[in-house]
Amino acid sequence: YQRRVRGCFHFTNQIEPPPTMTPVQTTVVSLLALCLFTAVVSIPVSVMMPLTTVGRNGSLNNPTQIEDQLQQLKSGGIDGVMIDVWWGIVERFSPKQYNWSPYLQFAQLVKNAGLTLQVVMSFHQCGTDVGDTCFIPLPDWVLTVGRSNPDIWYRDQQKGIDQEYVSLGVDNQALFAGRSPVQIYSDYMSSFASNFAAFMPNTINGIQVGLGPSGEMRYPGYQLQNNKWAYCGIGEFQCWDKYMLQDFQQAAIKYGKPSWNSPPTDAGTYDSTPSQTSFFTNGYSTEYGKFFLNWYGSNLLNHGDTILGNANNIFSGRGVTIAAKVSGIHWWYNSPSHAAECTAGYINTNQENAYLNIGNMFSKHGTDFDFTCLEMVDSNNNCGSAPQELVSQAQLAAKSAGVAFSGENAIELCNPTCYAGGFDQVYKASTQNGPIKRFTYLRLTPQLLSGSNWNYFVSFVSRMRNA
């Protein structure tokens, strides 16, 4: 196996000369070695497609315009695109009745343009996150179950529900026409693998598996719906549905503490600060606090472990990379409790390294570690925000776990004009601990493709290719 790297061939195996060589052979091997060690590794850049690329009615929106946009991306040196493959569109009306047609049409356009394609298995709702421009709920038949059994959803202490993603508490509960969510996700991915086999791996080279809200492996600790949360609140624990409560109580009994029959009730509300709560002031570091946080974080890891294991089996042998996305929760990173990370399920306190634990789980399944907020810089505010340190911790954790690290920006950088400082920070973050595997820009817009913005973005792509 070999791949082209800026004029050289990069061999995966070390070149070992035979015991005796002629002068010509010695020169050739020396030149190859020099080429290998001086080659500059490229960081490919992809672009996320608009959320409205496929409409909720199951049709590809404006394919002629998409074709022109893809050709322009190709002309600018962009490597590929990423698209959400929405569960709420594909399997909207009935279980196992899949409508892949708009995505097959899109994959063909990407192939025709000579680009690569990363697809996101989007098992979450669109419409309640920062930058969402459309509303795509979960499939109708899932919502029907939720109306009669609201405990299929994540619930906060006030019993409020969040319908962005089915609670991991019912991962193995056959509540949906005889299937569990884990089975549903596997059936969906298996159908995708069969229907898109012709596009793998030359066009479709990456499968990102959605594991929570916004496609990120996390709990919906911070929620924008109904104005529940505003930056920089710590969020709330999402484990008050009956299934997770029962699991916690059983875990406490097994631990020998049957009196611990509830998650913490003193952890504040969505907009609290850590110092306003007893739990995140000192309770998190008590025996009970450590037990609860370990249970909460471990359940999230087990959720990802199960689904990624299935994904790895389904796509094995197809030449595609499996990836999962981790959220860049940078506020209150500088506080001892890391409260905002904790409510999302990232237990990065009490001597725990949340991102190393995630990376080690990813490594079991050969899963790439995709992270957000690469464009952000530290700021002097009262929110304990430290995105640069967070990104570095995640990168080093992925490296320690032996998994590839890819990144994204969290906020558009060319709206209305390109913000040079943001792109400079992306480049810095992408190279500070060795070059990352890929950077995916959020997102394709008319502004990005226009005039000076386009010229600037093309120069950024060139800079990344020569990183």
Side-chain angles (χ1 to χ4, degrees), residues 64-330:
T64 300
Q65 180 185 63
I66 290 173
E67 186 174 22
D68 292 340
Q69 291 172 334
L70 295 177
Q71 292 292 346
Q72 183 173 347
L73 292 176
K74 179 66 176 179
S75 72
I78 286 81
D79 182 74
V81 292
M82 172 184 278
I83 190 170
D84 288 282
V85 180
W86 296 106
W87 182 30
I89 292 176
V90 173
E91 199 180 0
R92 175 180 177 180
F93 296 110
S94 301
K96 293 190 177 181
Q97 299 300 309
Y98 306 108
N99 173 23
W100 299 114
S101 59
Y103 294 103
L104 287 165
Q105 184 182 2
F106 179 76
Q108 186 62 52
L109 292 178
V110 175
K111 179 180 179 180
N112 294 346
L115 295 167
T116 61
L117 175 59
Q118 300 172 76
V119 295
V120 183
M121 300 287 100
S122 296
F123 299 119
H124 62 284
Q125 170 185 282
C126 176
T128 50
D129 196 14
V130 175
D132 283 358
T133 56
C134 61
F135 182 67
I136 303 171
L138 300 193
D140 295 351
W141 47 277
V142 174
L143 298 177
T144 297
V145 174
R147 281 190 285 272
S148 60
N149 181 5
D151 286 290
I152 70 167
W153 308 116
Y154 286 115
R155 306 191 80 160
D156 56 30
Q157 187 177 346
Q158 296 76 38
K159 296 297 183 179
I161 63 173
D162 179 81
Q163 299 184 64
E164 293 178 82
Y165 187 83
V166 176
S167 168
L168 62 78
V170 296
D171 267 358
N172 297 300
Q173 301 287 333
L175 302 173
F176 304 89
R179 291 189 299 164
S180 70
V182 167
Q183 291 170 320
I184 290 168
Y185 303 148
S186 291
D187 290 342
Y188 185 92
M189 290 188 287
S190 295
S191 179
F192 179 91
S194 298
N195 281 273
F196 289 82
F199 292 100
M200 294 185 278
N202 294 330
T203 299
I204 298 175
N205 64 356
I207 309 291
Q208 188 175 109
V209 182
L211 296 169
S214 302
E216 299 166 340
M217 193 186 78
R218 63 174 175 85
Y219 295 97
Y222 59 97
Q223 299 175 22
L224 294 178
Q225 62 176 355
N226 303 320
N227 297 314
K228 281 189 173 183
W229 173 88
Y231 183 80
C232 54
I234 60 176
E236 291 193 24
F237 291 117
Q238 304 292 316
C239 53
W240 294 85
D241 63 83
K242 66 182 182 183
Y243 301 98
M244 293 195 73
L245 285 175
Q246 183 181 36
D247 186 79
F248 177 73
Q249 290 161 359
Q250 291 174 344
I253 291 171
K254 184 176 180 180
Y255 183 73
K257 296 286 187 177
S259 62
W260 293 350
N261 59 5
S262 169
T265 57
D266 58 352
T269 60
Y270 287 99
D271 289 333
S272 297
T273 64
S275 62
Q276 292 172 338
T277 76
S278 296
F279 184 80
F280 287 117
T281 299
N282 50 47
Y284 72 94
S285 60
T286 65
E287 183 185 7
Y288 165 79
K290 291 177 180 178
F291 171 79
F292 168 75
L293 291 174
N294 178 69
W295 169 84
Y296 191 68
S298 294
N299 271 348
L300 183 64
L301 289 172
N302 292 338
H303 171 71
D305 190 18
T306 299
I307 296 170
L308 290 173
N310 291 341
N312 192 37
N313 291 333
I314 290 164
F315 292 103
S316 177
R318 297 185 183 272
V320 297
T321 297
I322 303 297
K325 186 175 176 181
V326 179
S327 183
I329 301 177
H330 55 88

